């Protein structure tokens, strides 16, 4: 039985931060992938889901920051917004996993993810509107663009993250959320 | 995969010599000042100030502007959206939901200029500070957080480990990508859904291998007796000199001026 | 299914020359070993042959067709050349073994029936029982099983040329033996095999020909037996010969056997049998 100790959570967080830097680089050679899929979101969401909110928060702040320092992506100008958005994801997913217990892994993951993705986008959209454009109409535009341009990323995150979680559970790299239901699934 | 855009330019200048931690604080203050820009005068002061910094940093105008060129489409979009969607009492031209207005144009210009200026400040910081110094500065910055109960030592270890992971993960990801390409994986499909499906063989193994590495390292660390740290953190000694303090004061004064005009 | 390499050079963006003017030919059905110190360009070479990297200059011909020509069909190359990287188990990702092994086929419009047959063949080739393994998750298998599934995922497209990069690293002695048996079986079915390895004994045992690299240059391209009998040459490049060669040298010096030029196990056994038959011992 695998147990997530404090050290293990810390190192998993470190790995997720590294993936925030490496995944966008890997996607770099695939045309348009970076802007469509937001590859940096996936490790942050996973980190929050698996390690809890303090680690998710750290990953959400440090991931984009280090990526910006080492690779220049995202550019410094949009870095603060991105950090706020990702940090929100990390915190909310972590908290959701603590609060939501539907007895189904899928249920927990989807509820957590949907709420986190909504909150993160709303927070980031608001911040963006407040910082860059203060007109009343602009807020509405910013929020809508946040959802319209980013819908492929939304779908990808909702589809990929449960897949990755199951793969990690099967490879016995993270503990089962509901060990008793394992046999039913298989 | 080898394109590190991180753009440190080694030169000897006042800006390079500045303490990285102080410089980081200056960056935050400058960006705040830029966001505060409202009037034409504030922009002129801002441009003057940035020109002086670029000049004394010896990194050259083009390096300071790097990245700005690539984002022209983004700028045009922001500008046009503000031009046409800004709700104003008086518009020059109407068509459906589009309203062209003076206020909108000014708002659009405002946004674009702010982003460009922020990018210049960011470029100045990363091209005059070596990546190692940047990390050191961040460490010091985070150190301040200890007073609100953040386990700084642990954060430092996590950041250190994640930086050490970078070359290993890059290599690993590259290998996985090549192995899947050799098995006939296609990443460059035109259709969005196929494209998304196409990256599964890349993303899942990358995460598995990353978590495997994390697992191995954490076992090794626990075996060597790492636990949750409670002990006091050694302070990263910084040699902050008069020049650093004076520059910081100048930047703060600049920020206040920007807010007033 | 021959591989012909002509004046091949490769250089990374940063300007380090990894391969310098390499030319050789590998004929159909050969079992070729590649050897050299770490950083000598072996990995680069096999990635060039499988079309994962593009040469800086020079050409690679597979079946007399230039694989870097604009009109060359990359999908065809993927079918012709299979490559098994070091630690191939990291490429597994599907939910079942069957799906994972079939991955290489899905991109090349095969019929369902054909896919199933090939997957069965590949898994059985790798020593699994198809019915037992197909529904299992590849991620929850043991290390050795994972590797065999991953290799099945490469051989399933029945490549004519199969490249292995350090295939035995991290396998236990039994796993090694099993694996080498499978490689031999594939070779006997007519597959051209190229194997990169540091393990000299295994190279001596299985390969017919060797390509030896030193600092990006091909320093020799002869039969395995000749290379490992040329002790002066090997020591010049700080390389070792096989255990068997050492033993036969010692035995020869003491007058037990007639010739010291024995590099592999089978020859050694034959020689010893000969000696015993002649009653010299």
């Amino acid at each position: 039985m695998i147990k997530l100790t404090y050290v293990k959570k810390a190192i998993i967080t470190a790995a997720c931060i590294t993936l925030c830097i490496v995944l966008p680089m890997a996607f770099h050679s695939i045309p348009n992938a970076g802007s469509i899929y937001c590859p940096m979101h996936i490790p942050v969401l996973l980190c929050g889901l698996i390690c809890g909110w303090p680690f998710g928060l750290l990953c959400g702040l440090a991931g984009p920051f280090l990526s910006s320092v080492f690779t220049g992506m995202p550019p410094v100008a949009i870095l603060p917004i991105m950090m706020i958005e990702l940090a929100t994801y990390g915190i909310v997913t972590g908290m959701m996993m603590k609060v939501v217990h539907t007895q189904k892994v899928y249920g927990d993951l989807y509820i957590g993810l949907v709420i986190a993705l909504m909150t993160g986008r709303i927070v980031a959209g608001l911040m963006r509107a407040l910082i860059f454009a203060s007109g009343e109409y602009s807020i509405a535009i910013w929020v809508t663009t946040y959802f319209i341009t980013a819908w492929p990323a939304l779908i990808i995150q909702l589809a990929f993250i449960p897949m990755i979680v199951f793969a990690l559970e099967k490879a016995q790299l993270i503990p089962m959320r509901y060990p008793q239901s394992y046999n039913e699934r298989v | 995969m080898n394109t590190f855009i991180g753009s440190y330019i080694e030169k000897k200048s006042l800006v390079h010599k500045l303490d990285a931690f102080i410089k980081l604080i200056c960056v935050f203050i400058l960006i705040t000042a830029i966001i505060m820009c409202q009037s034409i005068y504030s922009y002129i002061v801002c441009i003057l100030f940035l020109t002086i910094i670029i000049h004394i940093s010896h990194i050259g105008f083009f390096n300071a502007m790097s990245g700005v060129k690539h984002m022209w489409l983004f700028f045009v979009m922001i500008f046009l959206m503000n031009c046409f969607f800004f709700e104003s009492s008086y518009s020059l031209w109407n068509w459906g939901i589009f309203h062209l207005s003076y206020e909108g144009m000014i708002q659009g210009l405002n946004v674009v200029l702010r982003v460009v200026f922020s990018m210049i400040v960011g470029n100045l910081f990363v091209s005059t500070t070596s990546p190692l110094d940047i990390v050191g500065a961040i460490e010091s910055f985070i150190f301040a957080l200890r007073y609100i109960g953040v386990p700084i030592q642990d954060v430092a270890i996590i950041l250190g480990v994640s930086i050490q992971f970078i070359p290993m993960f890059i290599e690993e990801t590259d290998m996985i990508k090549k192995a899947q390409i050799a098995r006939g994986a296609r990443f460059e499909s035109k259709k969005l859904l196929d494209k998304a499906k196409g990256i599964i063989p890349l993303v899942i193994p990358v995460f598995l291998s990353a978590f495997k590495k994390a697992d191995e390292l954490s076992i090794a660390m626990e075996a060597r007796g790492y636990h949750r740290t409670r002990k006091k953190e050694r302070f990263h000694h910084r040699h902050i000199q008069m020049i650093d303090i004076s520059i910081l004061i100048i930047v703060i004064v600049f920020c206040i001026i920007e807010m007033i005009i | 299914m021959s591989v012909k390499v002509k004046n091949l050079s490769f250089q990374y963006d940063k300007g380090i020359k990894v391969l310098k003017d390499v030319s050789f030919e590998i004929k159909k059905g050969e079992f070729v070993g590649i050897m050299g110190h770490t950083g000598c360009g072996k990995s680069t070479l096999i990635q060039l042959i499988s079309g994962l990297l593009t040469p800086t200059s020079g050409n690679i011909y597979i079946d007399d067709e230039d694989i870097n020509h604009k009109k060359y069909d990359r999908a065809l190359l993927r079918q012709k050349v299979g490559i098994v990287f070091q630690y191939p188990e990291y490429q597994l990702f599907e939910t079942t073994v069957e799906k994972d092994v079939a991955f290489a086929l899905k991109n090349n419009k095969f019929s369902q029936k054909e896919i199933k047959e090939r997957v069965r063949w590949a898994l059985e080739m790798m020593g699994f029982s198809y019915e037992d393994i197909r529904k299992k998750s590849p991620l929850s298998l043991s290390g050795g099983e994972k590797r065999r599934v991953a290799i099945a995922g490469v051989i399933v497209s029945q490549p004519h040329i199969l490249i292995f990069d350090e295939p035995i690293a991290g396998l236990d002695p039994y796993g090694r033996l099993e694996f080498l048996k499978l490689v031999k079986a594939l070779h006997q079915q007519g597959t051209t095999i190229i194997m990169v390895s540091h393990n000299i004994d295994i190279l001596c045992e299985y390969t017919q020909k060797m390509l030896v690299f030193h600092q990006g240059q091909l320093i020799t391209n002869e039969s395995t037996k000749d290379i490992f009998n040329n002790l002066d040459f090997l020591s010049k490049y700080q390389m070792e010969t096989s255990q068997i060669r050492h033993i036969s040298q010692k035995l020869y010096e003491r007058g037990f056997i007639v010739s010291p030029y024995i590099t592999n196990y089978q020859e050694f056994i034959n020689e010893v049998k000969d000696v015993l038959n002649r009653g010299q011992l």
Side-chain angles (χ1 to χ4, degrees), chain B:
Chain B
M1 293 294 289
N2 298 321
T3 49
F4 260 81
I5 315 166
S7 43
Y8 177 54
I9 301 163
E10 211 173 344
K11 283 267 166 64
K12 281 204 168 83
S13 81
L14 181 64
V15 187
H16 283 78
K17 258 187 276 171
L18 218 58
D19 182 82
F21 178 55
I22 298 289
K23 221 188 300 183
L24 185 62
I25 295 174
C26 288
V27 167
F28 289 137
I29 297 172
L30 281 175
I31 289 178
T32 323
I34 288 163
I35 290 164
M36 296 293 175
C37 279
Q38 285 296 339
S39 65
I40 181 103
Y41 302 108
S42 59
Y43 278 114
I44 292 170
V45 175
C46 202
I47 291 172
L48 273 176
F49 196 78
L50 288 178
T51 322
I52 294 168
I53 306 178
I54 294 171
H55 183 72
I56 57 174
S57 71
H58 296 310
I59 60 162
F61 181 72
F62 283 103
N63 285 321
M65 294 288 283
S66 82
V68 174
K69 208 172 70 183
H70 297 293
M71 288 181 63
W72 67 272
L73 195 67
F74 176 71
F75 294 134
V76 171
M77 289 292 288
I78 297 182
F79 181 70
L80 289 180
M81 278 169 75
N82 276 285
C83 281
F84 287 109
F85 291 112
F86 196 81
E87 196 160 339
S88 125
S89 46
Y90 156 79
S91 50
L92 297 169
W93 179 74
N94 276 309
W95 188 72
I97 53 163
F98 300 102
H99 321 277
L100 184 67
S101 68
Y102 267 129
E103 284 99 324
M105 281 161 145
I106 288 170
Q107 182 64 35
L109 208 61
N110 258 328
V111 175
V112 171
L113 281 176
R114 282 176 196 165
V115 176
V116 172
F117 287 169
S118 310
M119 280 181 81
I120 292 174
V121 172
N123 282 335
L124 270 168
F125 180 63
V126 293
S127 48
T128 61
T129 321
S130 74
L132 258 177
D133 284 343
I134 294 178
V135 173
I138 298 157
E139 243 177 66
S140 299
F141 187 75
I142 296 168
F143 184 79
L145 294 174
R146 195 184 69 164
Y147 295 101
I148 48 170
V150 183
I152 292 312
Q153 177 104 50
D154 296 344
V155 172
I157 289 177
I158 291 174
L159 293 183
V161 168
S162 76
I163 289 169
Q164 279 174 20
F165 271 152
I166 296 173
M168 195 204 290
F169 281 23
I170 289 177
E171 205 171 299
E172 202 76 30
T173 309
D174 195 39
M175 267 302 148
I176 290 167
K177 198 168 168 186
K178 279 178 179 159
Q180 303 294 29
I181 291 175
R183 281 169 89 193
R186 281 169 201 169
F187 299 123
E188 60 282 322
S189 171
K190 280 271 184 316
K191 272 190 256 161
L192 205 61
L193 189 70
D194 288 349
K195 211 173 182 172
K197 270 192 201 155
I199 59 174
I200 295 174
L202 176 65
V203 171
I204 290 185
V206 166
F207 273 93
L208 285 169
S209 121
F211 272 66
K212 180 97 185 133
K213 294 274 173 327
D215 195 56
E216 282 162 7
L217 181 62
S218 66
I219 289 169
M221 284 174 80
E222 278 171 344
R224 281 187 296 167
Y226 274 94
H227 293 291
R228 187 173 194 158
T229 48
R230 292 276 185 211
K231 61 181 173 197
K232 290 252 170 169
E233 138 99 337
R234 79 206 139 79
F235 188 67
H236 213 78
H237 250 296
R238 308 210 76 89
H239 300 282
I240 292 169
Q241 293 162 333
M242 270 319 284
I243 182 80
D244 296 318
I245 302 292
S246 10
I247 296 283
L248 183 62
I249 292 168
I250 294 172
V251 172
I252 292 171
V253 170
F254 165 72
C255 181
I256 294 167
I257 294 172
E258 285 289 302
M259 280 187 203
I260 296 166
I261 56 174

Side-chain angles (χ1 to χ4, degrees), chain C residues 81-104:
Chain C
V81 182
I83 179 163
V84 178
F85 282 101
Q86 203 172 357
Y87 304 112
E89 49 272 32
Y90 283 128
Q91 72 193 37
L92 302 172
F93 69 97
E94 277 284 9
T95 46
T96 67
V97 168
E98 192 176 24
K99 279 192 205 164
D100 205 292
V101 173
F103 175 71

Side-chain angles (χ1 to χ4, degrees), chain A residues 32-114:
Chain A
N32 288 326
S35 54
I36 300 174
Y37 302 139
C38 310
M40 211 180 279
H41 294 200
I42 300 175
V44 176
L45 290 163
L46 266 175
C47 185
L49 289 172
I50 293 165
C51 303
W53 74 265
F55 293 102
L57 169 66
L58 176 63
C59 186
L61 292 175
F65 191 92
L66 288 183
S67 176
S68 188
V69 170
F70 281 99
T71 68
M73 293 180 293
V76 183
I78 52 169
L79 178 64
I81 288 290
M82 192 128 178
M83 283 169 74
I84 291 168
E85 185 185 352
L86 293 185
T88 316
Y89 290 159
I91 297 174
V92 177
T93 44
M95 287 187 164
M96 280 296 139
M97 284 293 108
K98 229 177 188 169
V99 177
V100 182
H101 284 280
T102 58
Q103 304 306 314
K104 289 255 159 41
V105 188
Y106 265 115
D108 293 3
L109 287 177
Y110 278 127
I111 292 171
L113 280 176
V114 168

Side-chain angles (χ1 to χ4, degrees), chain C residues 244 247-262 268 271-272 275 278 280-281:
Chain C
I244 296 285
I247 294 169
S248 31
Q249 181 75 33
K250 289 262 154 40
L251 290 175
Y252 171 73
E253 280 163 14
R254 309 236 167 127
F256 290 125
I257 51 177
V258 191
S259 150
Y261 303 114
I262 298 168
F268 184 73
E271 178 73 21
V272 171
V275 172
R278 273 179 269 141
Q280 284 181 1
L281 267 179

Side-chain angles (χ1 to χ4, degrees), chain C residues 98-155:
Chain C
E98 192 176 24
K99 279 192 205 164
D100 205 292
V101 173
F103 175 71
L105 301 179
K106 279 202 185 121
N107 295 314
N108 296 317
K109 310 206 170 59
F110 281 104
S111 73
Q112 281 301 324
K113 198 176 152 230
E114 206 167 351
I115 289 180
K116 205 178 157 185
E117 260 161 30
R118 281 192 176 211
V119 171
R120 177 194 286 272
W121 170 82
L123 283 169
E124 280 172 0
M125 199 73 204
M126 281 294 126
F128 289 110
S129 146
Y130 173 70
E131 292 303 331
D132 290 349
I133 195 92
R134 55 185 280 233
K135 287 286 170 220
K136 282 190 186 162
S137 161
L139 304 175
S140 45
L141 299 174
S142 78
E145 287 173 324
K146 269 189 201 169
R147 183 167 300 189
R148 272 149 60 205
V149 170
I151 296 173
V154 174
I155 63 167

